[in-house]
Amino acid sequence: MITHHDVREACEWAGRVRAAGLSLGLVPTMGALHAGHEALIRQSVKQCDRTAVTIFVNPTQFGENEDLDRYPRSPGEDIELCRGLGVDLVLMGETSGAGSVYPSGAETWVTVDRLSRPLCGRYRPGHFRGVATVVTMLFCMFRPHRAYFGLKDFQQARLIERLAIDLHTGVDVRALPTVREADGLAMSSRNAYLSREERRQALAVPGALEIVEAAFRGGEQRIARLAALLESALRREPGLRIEYAEIRDAATLEEPARSLVGELDDGVVVAVAAHSGSTRLIDNVWLGPRTGAALEEHRE
Ligand code: AMP
């Protein structure tokens, strides 16, 4: 496995992979790797001849009062994990200097318009512009055949699928199911911030999503009813500060234009953002006609 810090070397490596007629998979991450990242990497290694993982805490997707400076970092462990999983190249992105991810004087932005506005977009202005820009840059650098993202960040995955199509990148964007801790908490690098008590409170989020999902699987199709279940389940944990808890059309992320889940082609996403202590957590569950098949496809 090769580790590069310079994007120019990574680009050249990717060029050689493509020139040799090999398929290339890309897994973009911000590091502090956990089992959620591992699932994406494993899938890429399985489906592609070569796999590149990028580790870059992208400053442009953090707001002014967010956790850029204290975001968890574990480069040594990340590299060892990648090696063990059969990754071919790790790019440890630099924020400044020659070969850094943003060339000096960079002023080009990528905005995915409507998909960036609701949910996290309302509370984190500029966040998705930062995400869309860095992912586009990574797609340009590596020109991968496939790129792997997690449905844990449902809005992000949707937006990247969109930009991959809109910009004629030719990248096949794969979105994989959320990996959870044994107690149900969605894996996240930010879970490391949680105290015991905050972590206990945080479990109310997957708990509420589970209640909604169980009702749906039990035949409840009415979106208003599912929304009421979500709200009352979250209200039972007063320690949590809920930023949003919403049910949205899974394709557009807009308010559902129908009242039953089954009337929407892609179903709905039940999405929650909440603060436990000072840690912001997001989680979701995707309910709908295609989700079973889509998830099954990734299990092979
Ligand atoms: P991050 O390092 O948090 O930017 O995440 C890098 C990629 O891993 C993104 O595509 C995330 O959606 C994905 N990811 C993060 N946590 C999970 C998880 N618990 N399950 C599946 N994918 C995840």
Side-chain angles (χ1 to χ4, degrees):
M1 187 181 83
I2 313 166
T3 304
H4 282 312
H5 292 260
D6 187 324
V7 301
R8 294 166 301 190
E9 286 172 324
C11 289
E12 280 167 23
W13 173 86
R16 288 196 295 275
V17 169
R18 287 192 313 273
L22 300 171
S23 63
L24 175 57
L26 176 69
V27 186
T29 81
M30 297 207 299
L33 301 181
H34 51 65
H37 300 111
E38 197 177 315
L40 308 185
I41 296 170
R42 280 188 195 282
Q43 193 72 349
S44 176
V45 168
K46 193 159 116 190
Q47 295 182 336
C48 307
D49 297 321
R50 296 287 182 272
T51 290
V53 172
T54 62
I55 296 178
F56 178 57
V57 183
N58 174 33
T60 67
Q61 69 187 70
F62 287 78
E64 269 185 25
N65 299 315
E66 294 183 358
D67 56 345
L68 173 62
D69 293 335
R70 64 174 192 132
Y71 194 82
R73 287 168 171 86
S74 54
E77 284 147 33
D78 292 352
I79 287 173
E80 284 321 305
L81 181 85
C82 289
R83 197 192 309 282
L85 292 173
V87 169
D88 300 284
L89 177 132
V90 175
L91 172 66
M92 308 287 287
E94 301 285 348
T95 44
S96 61
S100 60
V101 174
Y102 289 91
S104 109
E107 54 172 310
T108 303
W109 295 104
V110 177
T111 303
V112 182
D113 195 11
R114 272 178 307 192
L115 286 169
S116 293
R117 288 186 207 154
L119 304 175
C120 290
R122 267 188 65 193
Y123 299 91
R124 302 187 73 190
H127 169 68
F128 287 121
R129 183 178 82 150
V131 170
T133 301
V134 79
V135 170
T136 303
M137 292 163 84
L138 295 172
F139 283 3
C140 291
M141 285 174 207
F142 285 91
R143 294 203 277 125
H145 297 88
R146 304 188 187 96
Y148 296 82
F149 296 88
L151 285 170
K152 150 85 166 49
D153 300 279
F154 190 89
Q155 185 170 15
Q156 169 176 287
R158 278 278 130 123
L159 193 131
I160 290 165
E161 284 167 356
R162 187 72 253 164
L163 82 78
I165 294 168
D166 292 353
L167 300 178
H168 300 282
T169 63
V171 179
D172 177 1
V173 172
R174 308 256 164 143
L176 270 60
T178 301
V179 176
R180 297 178 181 282
E181 306 273 5
D183 58 10
L185 190 66
M187 294 234 175
S188 163
S189 307
R190 290 188 169 100
N191 291 350
Y193 300 148
L194 296 169
S195 69
R196 258 172 93 101
E197 173 57 12
E198 288 165 351
R199 197 195 149 93
R200 191 199 58 72
Q201 288 174 1
L203 288 176
V205 175
L209 293 172
E210 225 178 283
I211 289 171
V212 176
E213 185 171 21
F216 173 72
R217 303 266 169 242
E220 182 57 79
Q221 282 277 325
R222 293 166 298 177
I223 295 170
R225 181 72 198 124
L226 295 169
L229 283 174
L230 177 68
E231 203 194 311
S232 69
L234 287 171
R235 219 183 298 126
R236 270 179 247 149
E237 181 47 75
L240 273 185
R241 188 157 57 81
I242 306 297
E243 192 171 87
Y244 65 75
E246 299 202 44
I247 302 191
R248 294 289 178 120
D249 183 319
T252 62
L253 305 183
E254 284 167 9
E255 299 274 3
R258 309 267 173 202
S259 55
L260 301 179
V261 176
E263 292 172 333
L264 297 163
D265 287 346
D266 254 7
V268 295
V269 60
V270 185
V272 177
H275 287 87
S276 185
S278 58
T279 304
R280 183 175 183 275
L281 303 163
I282 57 169
D283 200 350
N284 71 82
V285 61
W286 184 9
L287 309 177
R290 288 201 310 126
T291 54
L295 300 186
E296 207 50 53
E297 188 189 319
H298 292 299
R299 284 204 190 105
E300 46 46 273

